[in-house]
Amino acid sequence: MKNDFISYSKQTVDDDDIKSVVNVLRSPFLTQGDRVPRFEKDLSRITKSKYVVAVNSGTAALHAACYACGIKSGDEVITTPLTFAASANCIIYLGATPIFADCDNYGLLDPEKVIKKISRKTKALLTVDYGGCPSHLKELRQIANRYNLILIEDAAHSLGATFKGKPVGSIADLTCFSFHPVKLITTSEGGAVATNKPQFYKKLLLFRNHGITKNRNEFISPYEGPWQQEMHILGYNLRMTDIQAALGISQLKKMKKFLGLRTAIARSYTRNLQKLQENELIDLPKVTSNTTSAWHLYPLRINFNKTKYSKKQLFQKFLENGVRLQVHYPPIHLHPYYNKKYNLKKGDFPNAERFYNQEISLPVFPALTKTQRNKVISLVEKFIIEN
Ligand SMILES: *Cc1c(COP(=O)(O)O)cnc(C)c1O
């Protein structure tokens, strides 16, 4: 991969980040030292959630969250098809069945479609803050309350976003973050679960560490001595290292700045591309009311019936000009694994499929320069208007 390409996202790592990581490398603890608890505390303050458990990926965060709320074989969890495979894979990891409900024009799980998919087996709703915009959390909460379901939020895109003034992380029963390099802040690989419920917190801790507790108050057998530890459930090693957490602590200090830069880029795209929307050539991304987006993506939807180039040709044109676009997402139900396993097919979720067919993600990341941004804007204008 040529690195002078402008891609849809990339990390920003500075000398302070490097110093923090190197300090850990010189310290006695590369893992299970004090950085992970500090990172968790910082995240808990920023997300206004009582408890945060850091893990080694966003996928691990989703897996642990599904475990913590008791999802098991025979259960169903309702989620969106317009997301990364991990949002649904985590349900299958626990032997449960993902049930898809279509998305709306924001690319978000549609609460009305969710209601139609509820059955006696439904245990939880797993919504995804597509592109960085918070889900329809008010409606989903009402549905969850009415049917006694747990609300899980895949907030891999939406760290820093707000819903009615509240930070993402303080709203759902369990909120999952990812710190992969394309996300708002990075720990290289990494993730975290935020919750306000102590019963979930306890289970997350166990699940992250093989199901083993070292807490004397929790022992089932008589106390034998300070070496004692007991395994209570089948957990995994989902632990984050102190090297990763040190990077996370340092990155979090720049979170507001990163958010501001992403927002400015998104606003500039919107301002400059407005006229193409007026000509019905494109649909600009919208943000739901009373929310702020973290602008993980700038998902442009293009009316390819009216353009000279097909999606494939447009992608190629951008590549030839040094811009590597991305598409989010091939709907999950069309992945061969899913359509074979659950007998899903094209046409099952028309909104997600239409969204996917029309969507391209323009580059958004803190280090994108004004010149690069203007280049992207001119390329969009050029290739979409061209007839
Ligand atoms: C990135 C991402 C994940 C997975 O996160 P990893 O840290 O890569 O495991 C899950 N869901 C969504 C929507 C994502 O974008």
Side-chain angles (χ1 to χ4, degrees), residues 57-59 62 83-84 86-87 128 154 156-157 178 180 183 190 329:
S57 71
T59 305
L62 288 161
T83 182
F84 184 54
S87 311
V128 178
D154 179 343
H157 298 179
S178 162
H180 180 276
K183 310 290 161 76
Y329 288 92

Side-chain angles (χ1 to χ4, degrees), residues 50-70:
K50 280 208 185 100
Y51 309 102
V52 171
V53 176
V55 289
N56 52 24
S57 71
T59 305
L62 288 161
H63 189 188
C66 286
Y67 171 79
C69 62

